[in-house]
């Protein structure tokens, strides 16, 4: 009898040991942006890839609290968007905005293991304080940003990592603007270094032809560019999309409006400790 019980225990241990072999010994960690709209974009991308399921209607304001199904037991780390490339080496994967990926020498079209579609809902905009959108200086700035020169630069420089959303590019100028009256004036724009400030360098040359100076002020965060436009210290900014701006205005009681959508930067998932997405399902 004792021999029978011993054999039974050995058999049970073997069964449970075998069953445990298929389980992950460690969780997969994915770093995602911690600002409301970009966090939602990251989660929607992961849902499209089949790794999570969000609550119905979560949409573009989804957070990790809206994850209804996490079958692969993914651990999420919410990180300030600009810091995601810096933490990539410490996590399995990170979902990174293309502008920060490019700055970190990551090529979204080659290095991303998965990438979202080029939705115009996330088009990066030129924004100003409400009431300034119809000034000649801003109209001149918009025309230069919507120019064929800028569209051609985006297409050649970023190889699909940044995509123009301007349907009918201009020659760089607005026929309704009195450019003679603007000679000697300066317009200032707060912008992320890549690709926004690089694109604005093309705009600077276009405006210079009309003796208008473009002063490009670079920022590396998502808060100050709106604060300095709201305060009036800077005329416009170029770094964000409308869902982010809407959320910012709501949370901070600011009065900033979009005047033009220029380009979109698809969000991508990049490997840190992992080189393929296969590890998520193992």
């Amino acid at each position: 009898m004792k021999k029978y019980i011993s054999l039974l225990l050995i058999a049970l241990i073997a069964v449970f040991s075998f069953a445990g072999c298929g389980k992950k010994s460690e969780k997969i960690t994915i770093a995602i942006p911690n600002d409301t709209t970009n966090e939602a974009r990251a989660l929607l991308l992961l849902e499209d890839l089949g790794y999570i399921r969000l609550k119905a209607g979560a949409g573009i304001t989804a957070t990790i609290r809206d994850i209804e199904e996490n079958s692969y037991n993914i651990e999420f780390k919410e990180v300030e968007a600009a810091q995601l490339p810096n933490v990539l080496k410490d996590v399995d994967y990170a979902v990174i905005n293309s502008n920060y990926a490019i700055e970190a020498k990551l090529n979204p079209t080659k290095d991303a293991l998965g990438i979202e579609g080029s939705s115009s809902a996330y088009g990066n905009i030129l924004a100003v304080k409400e009431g300034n959108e119809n000034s000649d200086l801003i109209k001149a700035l918009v025309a230069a940003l919507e120019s064929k020169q800028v569209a051609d630069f985006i297409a050649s420089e970023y190889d699909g990592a940044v995509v123009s959303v301007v349907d009918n590019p201009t020659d760089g100028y607005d026929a309704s603007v009195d450019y003679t009256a603007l000679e000697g004036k300066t317009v200032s724009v707060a912008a992320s270094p890549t690709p926004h400030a690089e694109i604005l360098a093309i705009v600077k040359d276009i405006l210079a032809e009309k003796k208008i100076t473009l002063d490009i002020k670079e920022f590396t965060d998502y808060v100050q560019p709106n604060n300095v436009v709201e305060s009036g210290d800077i005329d416009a900014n170029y770094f964000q999309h409308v869902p982010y701006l809407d959320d910012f205005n709501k949370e901070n009681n600011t009065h900033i409006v979009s005047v033009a959508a220029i380009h979109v930067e698809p969000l991508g998932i990049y490997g840190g400790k992992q080189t393929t997405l296969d590890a998520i399902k193992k």
Side-chain angles (χ1 to χ4, degrees), residues 43-272:
L43 294 174
L44 288 167
L45 171 60
L46 293 170
E47 183 177 51
D48 287 343
L49 293 170
Y51 301 130
I52 60 171
R53 183 162 59 84
L54 297 170
K55 294 175 184 175
I60 61 172
T61 58
T63 70
I64 56 175
R65 291 182 293 278
D66 293 303
I67 298 173
E68 189 164 77
E69 186 177 313
N70 184 5
S71 301
Y72 301 106
N73 202 26
I74 297 167
E75 179 182 345
F76 292 96
K77 294 186 180 297
E78 296 168 294
V79 177
E80 200 276 318
Q83 296 304 315
L84 284 163
N86 295 332
V87 304
L88 183 58
K89 66 182 184 301
D90 300 317
V91 295
D92 293 295
Y93 307 96
V95 182
I96 306 175
N97 299 68
S98 280
N99 59 314
Y100 292 126
I102 294 168
E103 284 180 28
K105 308 302 180 186
L106 295 168
N107 186 320
T109 58
K110 296 177 181 177
D111 298 325
L113 304 177
I115 199 162
E116 70 179 355
S118 300
S119 171
S120 59
Y122 297 113
N124 280 214
I125 59 171
L126 180 73
V128 301
K129 189 168 184 179
E130 188 175 10
N132 296 332
E133 56 266 44
N134 293 314
S135 74
D136 270 5
L137 204 53
I138 295 303
K139 287 165 70 176
L141 178 61
V142 169
L145 265 171
E146 292 183 336
S147 67
K148 186 176 184 301
Q149 297 98 304
V150 165
D152 288 347
F153 173 78
I154 289 172
S156 62
E157 181 72 13
Y158 301 110
D159 192 28
V162 178
V163 181
S164 173
V165 296
V166 177
D167 292 330
N168 298 297
T170 71
D171 63 356
Y173 305 107
D174 185 329
S176 72
V177 170
D178 182 359
Y179 282 93
T180 302
L182 296 179
E183 288 183 7
K185 292 190 177 297
T186 297
V187 59
S188 55
V189 182
S192 299
T194 303
H196 308 84
E198 295 168 353
I199 293 169
L200 286 170
I202 306 301
V203 172
K204 187 182 182 83
D205 290 340
I206 295 170
L207 292 177
E209 291 289 326
K210 297 294 185 180
K211 299 181 181 179
I212 300 168
T213 299
L214 174 59
D215 184 12
I216 305 166
K217 302 289 190 182
E218 294 189 12
F219 290 82
T220 58
D221 70 284
Y222 280 177
V223 176
Q224 288 308 310
N226 278 331
N227 288 342
V228 293
V229 169
E230 178 69 16
S231 67
D233 292 335
I234 291 182
D235 298 309
N237 65 45
Y238 177 38
F239 76 100
Q240 65 194 323
H241 48 62
V242 168
Y244 178 84
L245 175 60
D246 288 346
D247 186 68
F248 189 96
N249 280 331
K250 181 180 177 181
E251 293 295 322
N252 297 279
N253 195 31
T254 45
H255 309 84
I256 302 167
V257 296
S258 169
V259 290
I262 308 303
H263 74 266
V264 65
E265 301 165 10
L267 207 67
I269 180 169
Y270 297 82

